[in-house]
Amino acid sequence: MRTNILRTVTLALGLLASTVLWAQQQGGKPKVMTSAAPEETAVYNPSGKVPKATAQKAKDTSRDNKKQTSKAEKPRKEKRERTAASAGARYHALKTNLAFDAIGALNLAYEVQVHKRMTLDIPVTWSLWDAQREHALRIVALQPELRWWMGDEPGRGHFFGLHAHAAWYNLKWDDKRYQDTGRPLLGAGLSYGYKLPIGEHWGAEFNAGLGYANMKYDTYYNVENGAQIDTRIRNYFGLTRLGLSLVYRF
């Protein structure tokens, strides 16, 4: 009985020694069976060196990720640049009031940004000829207006304005003619308007205002070299600004 047990132990030790020697001849590292992908399997590497194939694959993956990030970032970068350029550019525009042009009172206005949300509009109106003998208006007028824009960008959307006016005039109407005495019409008012962009540079502007005007004028008979009738002073409250303008933005 004892002899059988010794034989069994000796046989087991021999098999164990044979297995160890065979494993050492195969590289000393037993293979591990796993269902994970090779790149997902953590391998003990006492040397600390990364295999060339793994390092190259990591570089390629990093390069691809950078390219994709760069492509995604490009539109956002261009948008930020356009926004910055728009924010840094001062608003300038030339305009003409089509409502005045229609009655023969030519006009031109220049508007420039003076603050983040404020612009200064300077319109000049003139008419130096008679359209008819009985009905005509000769006028030179200035009406600067300081505007506050409701949006983040001036020259777009709703605005409120504070304007002043000065005008020299000679008005023929039916059998009377009214002419300033050398002192211009003077006054001020408040207005509201809206600017509608039509394209990159063009736009349409609508505005109306109410205010006050004081005028001193002579009245004449509306005939050639007509006699003077009287001199009057008038205080006016009502419509002081009306516009339907075509705008060109620089």
Side-chain angles (χ1 to χ4, degrees), residues 91 93 95 111-121 145-161 192-197 204-207 247 249:
Y91 175 74
K95 301 179 288 185
E111 186 173 7
V112 60
Q113 183 179 353
V114 295
H115 186 265
K116 181 180 179 181
R117 292 190 177 184
M118 295 176 65
T119 60
L120 178 63
D121 183 53
E145 180 173 70
L146 189 63
R147 294 177 168 179
W148 177 268
W149 295 83
M150 303 302 293
D152 295 332
E153 178 185 355
R156 182 186 296 270
H158 303 271
F159 65 87
F160 290 94
Y192 161 78
Y194 181 80
K195 166 73 179 302
L196 174 66
E205 182 182 289
F206 313 89
N207 71 316
V247 183
R249 175 177 182 170

Side-chain angles (χ1 to χ4, degrees), residues 95-97 100-101 105-110 121-127 139-145 166 168 241:
K95 301 179 288 185
T96 183
N97 189 339
F100 284 7
D101 292 332
L106 302 183
N107 63 93
L108 189 65
Y110 173 65
D121 183 53
I122 309 173
V124 180
T125 303
W126 69 95
S127 176
I139 187 171
V140 175
L142 298 171
Q143 196 177 44
E145 180 173 70
W168 294 261
R241 192 174 178 107

Side-chain angles (χ1 to χ4, degrees), residues 4 15 21 25 57 59 63 110 120 157 163 167 209 226 237-238:
N4 292 336
L15 290 174
L21 291 174
Q25 291 176 359
K57 187 171 183 179
K59 289 181 180 179
R63 190 181 302 112
Y110 173 65
L120 178 63
H163 59 265
F237 293 90

Side-chain angles (χ1 to χ4, degrees), residues 209-225:
L210 299 174
Y212 165 78
N214 174 269
M215 60 195 86
K216 182 179 181 180
Y217 58 90
D218 296 325
T219 304
Y220 299 86
Y221 290 108
N222 188 18
V223 294
E224 189 172 353
N225 298 321

Side-chain angles (χ1 to χ4, degrees), residues 3 16 28 43 46 56 67 91 98 112 118 145 158 188 214 245:
T3 303
L16 179 60
V43 179
Q56 184 62 39
K67 288 182 179 179
Y91 175 74
L98 301 179
V112 60
M118 295 176 65
E145 180 173 70
H158 303 271
N214 174 269
S245 301

